[in-house]
Amino acid sequence: MRSISTIVLTLFFILPFVILPAEKSFSRSKTVQAIKLSDNISFDGKLSEPFYTYTPVDGFIQREPNEGEPASENTNVWIIYDESYLYVSARMYDSSPESIDASLMRRDNMIESDWFFVYLDPYLDRRTGYYFAVNPGGSLLDGTLFNDSWDDDSWDGIWEAKTNIDDEGWSMEMRIPFAQLRFNEAEEMKWGVNFNRDIKRKNEMTYFVMIPKKESGFVSHFATLEGLKGIKSSQRFEILPYVVQKAQYLIHDKEDPFYKGNQYKTAIGADFKVSIGSNLNLDATINPDFGQVEVDPAVVNLSAFETYYQEKRPFFIEGSNVFNFGNIGVNNNWGFNFGDPSLTYSRRIGRYPQGDVSDYDYSDIPTETRILGAAKLTGKVSDTWTLGAVSAVTERTFATLKYQGQKFEEQVEPLTHYGVLRARKEFDEGKHSYGMIITAVNRDQNTKLSESFVDQAYTFGVDGFTTLDEDGEYVLKAYVIGSYVQGSKEAILNKQEQPYRNFQRPDATYNEYDPNRTSLSGLYSRVMLNKQKGNFYINTAVGFVTPGFEYNDFGFQRQSDVINAHAVVGYRFFEPNNIFRKSWHYLAHFESYDFEGNNTSNGIMAFNSFQFLNYYNFGIRASYNFDQISNRLTRGGPLAKEPGEFWMGADFSTDGREKIVGELEGDFWKNRLGEYGYEFGFGIDWKPNTQLNININPSYSRNSMKRQWVDYFEDSFATSTYGNRYVFAEIDYQTIAGNIRLNWTFTPQLSLQIFMQPLFSVGDYNNFKELKRPRSLDYNIYGRDGSSISYDEKSNNYTVDPDGSGPADSFEFENPSFNFKSLRGNIVLRYEVLPGSVFYFVWTHNKTNEAYPGRLRLNRDFRKLWSEDSDNIFMIKFSYWFNT
């Protein structure tokens, strides 16, 4: 760990020299005056009312393409209000109104177009807020702002906008209910506000308050909105009842007694939203519909770790940024083999049941664990305190099985409670902050399931950041988290043997493998310094995760037993020259150790990004990892050596404003053992007209590896590897995949989306071998030096005699070669009948085939897949929004 100490000492030595006097903070002197509505407004987007003769907000400044210059086209903005609504109106003058881009899109599916954005900071906390956007065709975007410069489009407010195109350009009117916004009520309020106009054909982006590229932050620079008087918060109570009807036509055994009972399912439920004062929202649900409209992508996972899937269920994604932990305050969070923890992976709630079942001929195992109820509280309890809480209960779930004519039930998920509480306080207009988080999983179990699941799982963490200078150029963030899980000996034994921990490793000298444990605990911490703005850039961090840290019951965990540090330096050119409009250049060094002092990661990385004057983009990256020790390769076995490895990647994309946009991406890696791999892909985004968008992204990858994991086998004669043989193989692994999307927007309220994902993934295993000795690159290849290996095609099994001593210590394993073929897709018709009330029709299609393992022939494999039977699910969903 001497190198990590060197990194840290070097950084603290150079820190006094890089914290130089900074440029003055960008001015927040601009103000906007709100106009109290005294007449009726004809909400049509045409700006014909008398109050539009009042002096508007104007004077927009370019950020792109010519930073600091006045906008090429004039924009006038008015903010008007009455007791219930905030109206934002704008006149976008245009010298070529025939060139205005009025492309249509479904809500929150942003494409290149002309746009007008409104940004609001109702708390005037200079850190958080909302954004609302409309294009000339009437398409809408909205979302939330947080961490000063980050945004999240998962929030869907109930608001309206009307647009109009005429000979002078285009105009728009927004109507935003005050009930949709959270704010601190006062007789006269001051909010933060900003406006942004985009002109597609000029690639021009202008702002009322323009933040230079060298600056940091966004919300903290907003102008002040004044004149909001007499606004009283009304008690907001929303009800969103829904009904879902499914029809499933699945591949099944005709004798299956459970199939027909599950073929047609109806679900009815409701979501509720209640405002608590003007600051907090309480969301609750009864019999919630957490079925997602979009399908998850098909994957082939050859690692020991589970696959991460994005959350797509509205109840969980809306307002999820409130629960962000550990990454607030800085505008870059570099990882380098050490990521900030995902303490709340909400897809754990309502997941596919995880309990094992007995042998069966037929089964009725639920595809999800029903959520009995869930509630979420989010908002601010004062100007500086942010609060978030979620509580959800999933039901005790049973599988119905039939075996040899007997029908019986077995429990596959216990009654479980998931809870999280998050609180954060900010100081000095968001320049400093601290917060805490608590997560809990509590299970009510029977004896059998208690062997698989822990009874209780908790984490508790504190985090914070502080600016180190008056201008906020340097920020220091830190966090520390403790974890504790408790359960039966069997459940804790399973936790000890997780692939991110491997307490069972036979040569471990630090981790304590104890089959009598009934609890496990640990710590997770990191400190990071980040330079927030300017041309010169620096970022550095030191962190650790103790071997016993465990949060996978609610979170998504992929590491423990690691001490990590990195340093990044770079220079960013924001000013155009004769070739490039802008470019970024970074150099990094990173290292990791486990708690025994083994060097598990040690490398350098350089990455560069360029934007040409014509808005084409190019990036190139390269890294080299030196020889290191792996405590994961043998999956619970002894340490092994990892050879030095070189990697490089590049990408290229054309101007996103064009009718056809192209992308190219590829990478290549090779290590000194001769293993190598490469991947390349391209993308075409075609917009044939203002309503249609077609996106195609095919890719091909190939990896040739000499140490692909197969399995391990006990053998007392394998003394050099602690009584086990750790078996690997060479693999030729190829994948052909493609994502195809079609978005057809008939009106901003009516759209059709088609998604298709073909996948062909083939792995050919050969030259089986075993690790010869720990901490080495030496392997015994079966079939040499007295060992033997044979393959029985009928049983599809390999038989290995590892040392030629005969059947006494021979072992068998199934041929691991595979040929996985999949075609997934869905069609979604979405119609927003009224604001907040939506009708869906969804068709989901899925077919798979695994014939011809180890051999890739695309024509044959495609024909085989196409002729395969498929699963088809049809769904109709309607939800209606009531507001009182």
Side-chain angles (χ1 to χ4, degrees), residues 43 85 107-108 116 131-134 139-143 155-162 172-177 180 832 835-836 881:
F43 189 64
Y85 296 97
R107 182 163 175 168
D108 289 336
F116 183 81
Y131 67 87
F132 304 86
V134 63
S139 299
L140 304 182
L141 297 172
D142 60 7
W155 178 76
D156 285 327
I158 309 299
W159 59 285
E160 299 174 88
K162 298 292 184 180
M172 74 90 208
E173 291 176 317
M174 291 182 184
R175 182 164 61 193
I176 306 168
Q180 293 290 308
E832 188 171 2
W881 180 68

Side-chain angles (χ1 to χ4, degrees), residues 352-402:
Y352 181 86
Q354 302 293 298
D356 295 329
V357 296
S358 304
D359 293 337
Y360 58 85
D361 297 319
Y362 300 101
S363 67
D364 180 12
I365 303 175
T367 57
E368 60 189 30
T369 304
R370 190 164 71 94
I371 302 172
L372 297 176
K376 176 169 61 178
L377 181 69
T378 56
K380 287 203 167 190
V381 293
S382 71
D383 289 346
T384 59
W385 275 103
T386 301
L387 180 68
V390 171
S391 181
V393 178
T394 59
E395 73 174 352
R396 197 182 307 277
T397 305
F398 293 86
T400 305
L401 310 173
K402 189 173 184 179

Side-chain angles (χ1 to χ4, degrees), residues 408-426:
F408 56 97
E409 285 188 341
E410 289 187 356
Q411 191 177 157
V412 287
E413 274 284 338
L415 180 69
T416 306
H417 169 257
Y418 298 86
V420 56
L421 174 64
R422 173 72 163 134
R424 190 173 70 249
K425 182 174 176 59
E426 296 175 344

